[in-house]
Amino acid sequence: MENVLFEKQGHVSIITINRPKALNALATAVLKDLEEAVKTVEEDMDTYALIITGAGSKSFVAGADIVEMKDKTVEEAAEYSGYGNSIFRRIEQLHCPVIAAVNGFALGGGCELAMSCDIRLASENAVFGQPEVGLGITPGFGGTQRLARLIPTGIAKEMIYTARNIKADKAKEIGLVNDVVASDDLMATAMKLANRIAANAPIAVAHAKKAINEGLQQNIDDAVKLEVSEFSECFKTEDQKYGMECFVNRVKDKEFKNK
Ligand code: CAA
């Protein structure tokens, strides 16, 4: 994979979008490599947390590739938007939590990629925005849907209609990012958070992710039923028995088996 780097440290996988010359813009070739990396994680139950970041210190992802997009027909535009959306949806539905380590520009498709992740950490130089209407298009990789679900609708609409970028501190103020850290500390902070997640029972974390993500799309009565189901499924696992035995026996250094 030329445009995406993949590595694994313990139970944490790391995907790095690697096209720094174009500020990691998501040309189709990049999306193809990203899809392959996502498939690797989908098939790897030994990955307990995933970090997605961008190569270099300037940009997470500066968006869909404008040069590639500019001559597309209506049909080709639909195919491109559908392809990007399908990959981002697969990221959102991965069994493990996904942390976006946003190390610079997260514009258009970059902001949309970050929003398909569970948690966003930003470096101090991060910039977020949906500049699409300034290019004569709408956001096309989930921005109209996820931004309006993640932050107050009026603020999402203002960001999309004005095409104005916001800095990391403002992104934190509106709830678009969980935290802002010094650029040099970003990956270490993301790893620490990923390892903190990975130290818990992976199957329980996966059930919690499913309950939150699917429950948010349902009415509260169905969502609570979903929680009952995800909660009770945990009682099939060795990790549930082990985790509770550790509590009862005051064992502090737990190591879950993912079983
Ligand atoms: N597509 C293609 N190439 C891009 C790109 C993009 N989205 N963003 C940056 N690049 C390229 C530039 O063309 C330039 O290439 P060359 O060196 O070959 O000229 C290189 O990356 C460096 O970029 P700049 O010289 O522009 O760097 P800068 O520091 O002056 O500006 C920037 C940085 C503000 C991020 C600016 O590059 C920019 O505005 N980029 C576009 C951001 C954008 O509009 N993103 C949304 C795209 S649309 C979208 O994403 C639709 C969707 O939802 C599916």
Side-chain angles (χ1 to χ4, degrees):
M1 283 188 292
E2 188 187 326
N3 299 296
V4 169
L5 307 175
F6 185 83
E7 62 176 304
K8 198 168 167 192
Q9 293 181 20
H11 291 294
V12 179
S13 290
I14 303 163
I15 289 176
T16 305
I17 310 295
N18 184 37
R19 196 191 171 208
K21 268 194 216 156
L23 303 183
N24 303 320
L26 298 172
T28 302
V30 183
L31 288 174
K32 283 199 169 130
D33 287 354
L34 176 61
E35 183 182 28
E36 200 179 318
V38 169
K39 187 164 179 276
T40 303
V41 180
E42 282 171 342
E43 290 169 355
D44 178 21
M45 292 301 137
D46 185 59
T47 289
Y48 298 172
L50 168 68
I51 297 171
I52 300 181
T53 192
S57 56
K58 194 174 164 183
S59 182
F60 173 69
V61 165
D65 192 300
I66 300 167
V67 181
E68 186 185 299
M69 250 186 318
K70 70 181 184 30
D71 296 321
K72 284 197 187 299
T73 63
V74 171
E75 291 75 21
E76 287 165 348
E79 194 183 333
Y80 185 56
S81 172
Y83 186 44
N85 261 308
S86 71
I87 299 168
F88 288 11
R89 186 78 179 114
R90 280 167 68 181
I91 291 170
E92 193 166 46
Q93 293 177 313
L94 280 170
H95 60 278
C96 63
V98 186
I99 300 166
V102 181
N103 56 317
F105 293 113
L107 302 177
C111 189
E112 292 167 314
L113 174 60
M115 289 191 292
S116 72
C117 301
D118 294 276
I119 292 168
R120 283 150 294 284
L121 291 180
S123 59
E124 282 165 346
N125 69 331
V127 175
F128 295 81
Q130 298 289 159
E132 287 89 347
V133 295
L135 295 162
I137 58 173
T138 68
F141 290 167
T144 55
Q145 302 312 307
R146 290 199 182 89
L147 192 61
R149 282 168 166 79
L150 259 177
I151 64 172
T153 315
I155 299 176
K157 286 180 170 174
E158 185 181 333
M159 277 181 71
I160 290 171
Y161 302 161
T162 62
R164 215 161 39 210
N165 296 339
I166 57 168
K167 292 185 175 163
D169 53 350
K170 180 74 178 172
K172 182 167 181 199
E173 189 190 311
I174 62 174
L176 182 54
V177 303
N178 293 48
D179 219 344
V180 182
V181 298
S183 299
D184 287 347
D185 297 336
L186 180 65
M187 280 314 283
T189 308
M191 273 308 288
K192 201 170 161 192
L193 179 59
N195 280 315
R196 180 76 208 242
I197 292 167
N200 294 305
I203 298 170
V205 173
H207 280 301
K209 174 169 173 170
K210 191 171 169 211
I212 295 167
N213 282 358
E214 291 185 14
L216 278 171
Q217 310 306 322
Q218 300 175 358
N219 68 57
I220 188 71
D221 292 315
D222 290 339
V224 167
K225 280 183 200 146
L226 174 66
E227 185 183 81
V228 170
S229 160
E230 298 303 317
F231 171 81
S232 54
E233 281 290 307
C234 294
F235 286 75
K236 286 180 182 166
T237 67
E238 286 180 27
D239 282 347
Q240 174 268 322
K241 313 259 176 293
Y242 169 75
M244 293 190 177
E245 279 299 323
C246 285
F247 173 79
V248 171
N249 296 318
R250 299 185 186 276
V251 175
K252 287 270 184 307
D253 290 327
K254 294 188 291 256
E255 200 171 329
F256 287 103
K257 290 201 178 73
N258 194 20
K259 282 185 185 160

